[in-house]
């Protein structure tokens, strides 16, 4: 029996993970589930899975969580430190599915605790890739990518011959505005931006997909996960989201992973690895799909992609600044305080504001993140929608 902890259990990835875990109660035992403040969903999941502990990051929700769990024997905890404590309880397998920078400390705690960490929180690798990968190595922790593209690459990568890899090609759906003219993009609303054509995801990543910042962040994520240089990473727009990514080898072979757009496939791969488990995901009917389309990305209409490429090439603190500024800008866009095209503009502007040294610890990353947030928040104030 595998012991499981899910950080961010009430979100899109967290719920898909619970769905798989609950299908096989003989195989998995839940240790801890965490959420920000969705007490009802968290308590219900903890009771269904007979978890040992449930944690709300928002401490003001702890009393309600205690009430909801009264008489069940499940421990209730609250606060950001309590989320990290849950990550240290020593589960065999931890799903890191908190959204945004809030996930960094819990991911670090899980990496330091050992076992296997299934990583959905890409922000950890974007902002703190060097620090996180070093922590995984020094604690002997197995880090498995859950992001569908990176999971696809992981499945296609021949780890016995890393020098045989020529390129990693991340596919991108292009989001809902793939073919919208630039003039029309200024008026995009939050409701339009979160309606992804193929995937059902949390609000922030859906907006990131719409700006293609998501693919930019994924380039940085891939750089940390796989043995390639930045110039060996490419993006290919593939609107059907059937091919989840590819690895090209020096002999000209290209290996791809295909599947229906359902996060339960990559999550299941990480959950069962190195074996496989069954999922209820829809099977691919390639005869029905009939054709697969690919096109080069448009860096002009999607400047976020270019910003991320530059941050990756420059390295150091740049990716952390980009990630923090984008997070502030996306939250402001979702709140109706800035227009869609200002998300990338604010990120670009924040990158020009300061140039700190490369971070050598998680605390240094968080200091860079905080300063970038302050700059980005100033820029948000200047915007009038
Ligand atoms: P979501 O918004 O649906 O869920 C986020 C989870 O994090 C929730 O459980 C929420 O309670 C928790 N959370 C939010 N703020 C928190 C805080 N301050 N402290 C502690 N917990 C907090 O997000 P999601 O779409 O499931 O995405 C989660 C992560 O996985 C993101 O990093 C995203 O980029 C990545 N990811 C998601 C998908 C997808 O299909 N949704 C695919 C690939 C990667
Ligand atoms: Mg992805």
């Amino acid at each position: 029996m595998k012991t499981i902890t899910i950080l961010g259990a009430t979100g899109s990835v967290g719920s898909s993970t619970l769905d798989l875990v609950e299908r096989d109660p003989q195989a998995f035992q839940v240790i801890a589930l965490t959420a920000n403040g969705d007490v009802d969903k968290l308590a219900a999941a903890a009771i269904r899975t007979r978890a040992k502990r449930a944690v709300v990051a928002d401490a003001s929700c702890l009393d309600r969580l205690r009430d909801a769990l009264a008489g069940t024997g499940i421990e209730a905890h609250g606060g950001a430190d309590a989320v990290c404590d849950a990550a240290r309880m020593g589960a065999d397998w931890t799903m890191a599915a908190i959204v945004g920078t809030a996930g960094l400390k819990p991911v670090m705690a899980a990496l330091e605790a050992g076992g296997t960490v299934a990583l959905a929180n890409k922000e950890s690798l974007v902002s703190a890739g060097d620090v996180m990968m070093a922590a995984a190595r020094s604690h002997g922790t197995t880090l498995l990518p859950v992001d569908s593209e990176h999971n696809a690459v992981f499945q296609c990568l021949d780890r016995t011959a890393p020098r045989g890899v020529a390129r990693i090609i991340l596919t991108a759906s292009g989001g809902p505005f793939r073919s919208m003219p630039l003039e029309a993009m200024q008026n995009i609303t939050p409701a339009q931006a979160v309606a992804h054509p193929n995937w059902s995801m949390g609000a922030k990543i859906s907006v990131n997909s719409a700006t293609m910042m998501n693919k930019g962040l994924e380039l940085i994520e891939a750089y940390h996960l796989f043995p390639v240089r930045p110039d060996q990473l490419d993006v290919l727009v593939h609107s059907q989201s059937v091919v989840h990514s590819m690895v090209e080898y020096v002999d000209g072979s290209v290996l791809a992973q295909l599947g229906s757009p359902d996060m339960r496939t990559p999550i299941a791969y990480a959950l069962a690895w190195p074996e496989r488990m069954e999922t209820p995901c829809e099977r691919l009917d390639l005869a029905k799909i009939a054709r697969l389309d690919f096109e080069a990305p448009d860096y002009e209409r999607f400047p976020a992609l270019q910003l991320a490429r530059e941050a990756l090439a420059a390295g150091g603190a740049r990716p952390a600044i980009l990630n923090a500024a984008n997070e502030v800008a996306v939250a402001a866009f979702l709140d109706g305080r800035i227009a869609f095209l200002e998300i990338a503009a604010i990120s670009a502007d924040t990158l020009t504001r300061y140039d700190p040294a490369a971070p050598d610890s998680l605390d240094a990353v968080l200091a860079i993140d905080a300063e970038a947030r302050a700059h980005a928040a100033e820029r948000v104030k200047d915007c009038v929608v």
Side-chain angles (χ1 to χ4, degrees), residues 15-69:
S15 302
S16 294
T17 309
L18 275 169
D19 177 85
L20 292 170
V21 166
E22 290 186 66
R23 279 167 200 274
D24 197 349
Q26 308 305 321
F28 306 112
Q29 185 194 346
V30 174
I31 303 285
L33 299 177
T34 83
N36 191 28
D38 191 345
V39 167
D40 294 343
K41 202 166 174 184
L42 177 67
I47 291 166
R48 283 198 319 271
T49 59
R50 300 164 195 265
K52 282 192 172 35
R53 186 182 292 189
V55 183
V56 274
D58 180 349
S60 70
C61 299
L62 179 56
D63 285 345
R64 281 201 296 125
L65 182 64
R66 280 207 184 101
D67 290 348
L69 294 177

Side-chain angles (χ1 to χ4, degrees), residues 7-15 34-38 56-58 80 83 96-100 102-103 106 119-124 146-149 199-206 208 214 218 221 263:
L7 307 170
T10 55
S12 167
V13 172
S15 302
T34 83
N36 191 28
D38 191 345
V56 274
D58 180 349
V83 175
I98 292 173
V99 62
L119 188 74
N121 177 272
K122 65 189 81 186
E123 296 88 348
S124 290
V146 170
D147 211 347
S148 58
E149 298 76 4
W199 297 91
S200 155
M201 308 183 286
K204 181 196 168 195
I205 182 173
S206 298
N208 282 350
N214 184 50
E218 289 182 353
E221 183 185 12
M263 282 304 291

Side-chain angles (χ1 to χ4, degrees), residues 177-188 298-303 340-341:
F177 314 123
R178 187 173 53 88
S179 36
M180 185 183 271
L182 186 57
E183 314 81 72
M185 291 174 92
Q186 186 63 21
N187 301 318
I188 289 167
D298 183 339
Y299 284 87
E300 208 173 306
R301 282 187 310 118
F302 296 98
F340 183 78
L341 293 177

Side-chain angles (χ1 to χ4, degrees), residues 256-271:
Q257 186 259 352
L258 286 69
S260 56
D262 186 329
M263 282 304 291
R264 289 177 299 181
T265 296
I267 294 168
Y269 187 75
L271 196 50

Side-chain angles (χ1 to χ4, degrees), residues 209-285:
S209 296
T211 59
M212 290 195 74
M213 181 65 86
N214 184 50
K215 209 51 52 182
L217 301 181
E218 289 182 353
L219 287 169
I220 302 171
E221 183 185 12
Y223 168 73
H224 289 289
L225 285 168
F226 307 118
V228 286
R229 300 181 309 270
D231 62 288
Q232 289 174 292
L233 289 164
D234 269 334
V235 172
L236 190 60
V237 175
H238 164 52
S239 62
Q240 293 114 331
S241 300
V242 170
V243 176
H244 297 306
S245 279
M246 307 176 225
V247 178
E248 183 186 298
Y249 289 90
V250 289
D251 59 8
S253 295
V254 178
L255 268 59
Q257 186 259 352
L258 286 69
S260 56
D262 186 329
M263 282 304 291
R264 289 177 299 181
T265 296
I267 294 168
Y269 187 75
L271 196 50
W273 186 85
E275 291 172 32
R276 298 255 179 189
M277 62 186 274
E278 289 200 26
T279 73
C281 301
E282 201 183 317
R283 304 292 119 155
L284 268 192
D285 183 345

Side-chain angles (χ1 to χ4, degrees), residues 336-356:
R337 285 182 287 140
I338 65 169
F340 183 78
L341 293 177
E342 275 157 350
I343 299 172
I346 287 172
S347 302
D349 182 70
T350 306
L351 282 161
T352 66
R353 292 301 166 106
Y354 71 125
D355 194 14

Side-chain angles (χ1 to χ4, degrees), residues 319-372:
I321 297 173
L322 177 67
N323 177 62
N326 177 63
E327 210 161 297
V328 169
V330 169
F333 169 70
L334 286 170
D335 271 4
R337 285 182 287 140
I338 65 169
F340 183 78
L341 293 177
E342 275 157 350
I343 299 172
I346 287 172
S347 302
D349 182 70
T350 306
L351 282 161
T352 66
R353 292 301 166 106
Y354 71 125
D355 194 14
D360 58 2
S361 67
L362 187 54
D363 285 343
V365 170
L366 294 172
I368 292 165
D369 178 274
E371 192 172 350

